[in-house]
Amino acid sequence: MGAYILKRLLLMIPTLVGVMLVTFVVTQFVPGGPVEQLVHQLQGQPGSGAGAAEAAGGAQRLYRGDAGLDKEKLDELKALYGFDKPPWQRFLGMMSHYAVFDFGESFFHQRSVIELIIDKMPVSASLGLWTFLIVYLTCIPLGVAKAVRDGSTFDVVSSTIILVGYAIPGFVLGIFLLVLLGGGSFWDVFPLRGLTSDNWSELGWWGKITDYAWHVTLPVISLVVGSFAVMTMLTKNSFIEEIRKQYVLTARAKGLTENGVLYGHVFRNAMIPLVTNFPAAFIGAFFAGSILIESIFSLDGLGLLAYESILKRDYPVVLGSLYLFTLIGLFAKLITDISYVLVDPRIQFESVSK
């Protein structure tokens, strides 16, 4: 097991470098970079996203060194953002700083990338953790009940409802909920934006809890409904597969009750594929950001930060957050593999790696 973990840790290095290299190369060919956008701002032209690239061919003129600024001023702007160095030198310098978790400062927020991520994380973590808890605590019991009652009316009706929810995109459901319950055309029950009210700091502890729950209800519902189907059906199919095995017939022949067979023998084996995904899902819940849901409900989280950073060509935020989240994802995958051994001792990675 130790050799396998060491091998996986060593493989993380080329994987991480490869992901960053591909992304870095792609950013070199994207028009409307930070220098171009700053030039457009100085000239009073639009300077974000596609607008910068399309504004009277401004980006193309700048690449030819003709953007209404003298060459010295243009060179100063390039030096300000570090674009006066060749790409290979910038990439090596970036990776050397990233190795010690120094992600630099945002071009447009004038704050360090780490500070931005920490500042936006509570919003995304709130949505991710509640979605994670609700999905696991609801889908596993529901999947077990469906497996025990396979083919019954309960199984058919619940599957139909779950699949209908799965077919509805989360952002469509979010818009529908806002129109229906957010003061659109029907009832004004839930707030339209934000994770807390403006007077949240003035409320008591119970008022803060209720205010937070009041704001988070609609975004969480929009995220949860589409996640029910996969976990529920995975649980159901896993239990059905175990129930049909020979050891279950043997346990019943010995006189064990159905609950004794289900929870004493089937449950542990059937939960292996679910439990092993638990660490990665739990870690991912802290850093998951839904761009569309955060945009619809005006939640300033990691998803919205990533989207705006891409539009503004804020490369320190884009590349720094990608490095951090890729590293976290690689470790989460390693923890998932280790949990296989902890849950099912029959699995031996040493024999696989030889």
Side-chain angles (χ1 to χ4, degrees), residues 10-336:
L10 293 176
L11 285 174
M12 287 183 185
I13 298 175
T15 302
L16 187 61
V17 172
V19 170
M20 298 305 301
L21 178 60
V22 171
T23 307
F24 182 83
V25 170
V26 170
T27 60
Q28 305 308 303
F29 298 96
V30 177
V35 175
E36 289 83 354
Q37 297 204 30
L38 183 57
V39 170
H40 287 308
Q41 291 177 7
L42 293 176
Q43 294 178 337
Q45 300 176 9
S48 63
E54 297 174 358
Q60 296 179 359
R61 290 198 301 270
L62 181 58
Y63 290 133
R64 297 196 303 265
D66 180 16
L69 295 178
D70 56 70
K71 187 176 184 303
E72 292 183 359
K73 184 66 66 176
L74 190 60
D75 291 339
E76 290 180 5
L77 292 178
K78 291 182 178 180
L80 176 65
Y81 291 114
F83 291 102
D84 56 330
K85 302 176 182 178
W88 65 268
Q89 191 173 350
R90 283 189 280 124
F91 177 76
L92 292 179
M94 179 189 74
M95 293 303 296
S96 64
H97 285 89
Y98 284 8
V100 293
F101 297 98
D102 178 13
F103 302 118
E105 290 191 357
S106 166
F107 289 155
F108 297 94
H109 295 277
Q110 304 303 320
R111 298 173 59 189
S112 70
V113 176
I114 287 292
E115 288 180 356
L116 280 173
I117 293 175
I118 294 175
D119 184 50
K120 309 297 183 183
M121 190 185 299
V123 174
S124 297
S126 295
L127 299 180
L129 281 175
W130 282 117
T131 302
F132 169 81
L133 291 174
I134 293 174
V135 168
Y136 265 81
L137 294 178
T138 302
C139 293
I140 291 178
L142 180 59
V144 174
K146 287 172 62 63
V148 174
R149 300 172 178 83
D150 184 35
S152 65
T153 303
F154 168 79
D155 180 38
V156 174
V157 172
S158 59
S159 295
T160 302
I161 296 175
I162 289 172
L163 293 177
V164 169
Y166 179 73
I168 301 175
F171 71 94
V172 174
L173 180 61
I175 295 174
F176 172 77
L177 292 175
L178 279 179
V179 173
L180 183 65
L181 301 174
S185 303
F186 298 91
W187 298 284
D188 186 7
V189 179
F190 294 97
L192 290 173
R193 62 185 303 275
L195 202 60
T196 57
S197 300
D198 295 335
N199 63 336
W200 189 80
S201 59
E202 303 173 1
L203 301 175
W205 66 271
W206 178 250
K208 290 181 178 179
I209 294 175
T210 55
D211 181 75
Y212 168 76
W214 181 49
H215 281 76
V216 82
T217 298
L218 294 187
V220 169
I221 291 175
S222 303
L223 290 171
V224 162
V225 170
S227 303
F228 275 145
V230 175
M231 183 61 65
T232 301
M233 301 309 293
L234 178 62
T235 304
K236 174 190 172 182
N237 294 334
S238 180
F239 270 82
I240 289 178
E241 182 180 356
E242 292 297 325
I243 289 173
R244 293 172 179 174
K245 289 185 176 180
Q246 184 65 38
Y247 73 88
V248 176
L249 297 176
T250 304
R252 288 171 177 168
K254 290 182 178 179
L256 293 179
T257 62
E258 284 299 317
N259 286 336
V261 173
L262 183 63
Y263 296 104
H265 293 76
V266 175
F267 192 81
R268 178 175 178 177
N269 294 328
M271 288 296 293
I272 290 177
L274 304 176
V275 173
T276 50
N277 289 327
F278 185 91
F282 182 76
I283 295 174
F286 287 92
F287 302 97
S290 175
I291 297 175
L292 293 174
I293 297 300
E294 290 179 8
S295 300
I296 291 172
F297 293 95
S298 300
L299 301 173
D300 194 10
L302 293 175
L304 196 58
L305 173 66
Y307 176 69
E308 292 178 348
S309 299
I310 293 173
L311 287 182
K312 295 179 179 179
R313 309 296 190 262
D314 197 348
Y315 295 145
V317 178
V318 174
L319 295 172
S321 58
L322 176 66
Y323 178 91
L324 182 61
F325 297 154
T326 302
L327 187 61
I328 293 173
L330 291 173
F331 273 103
K333 180 62 177 175
L334 176 60
I335 295 174
T336 298

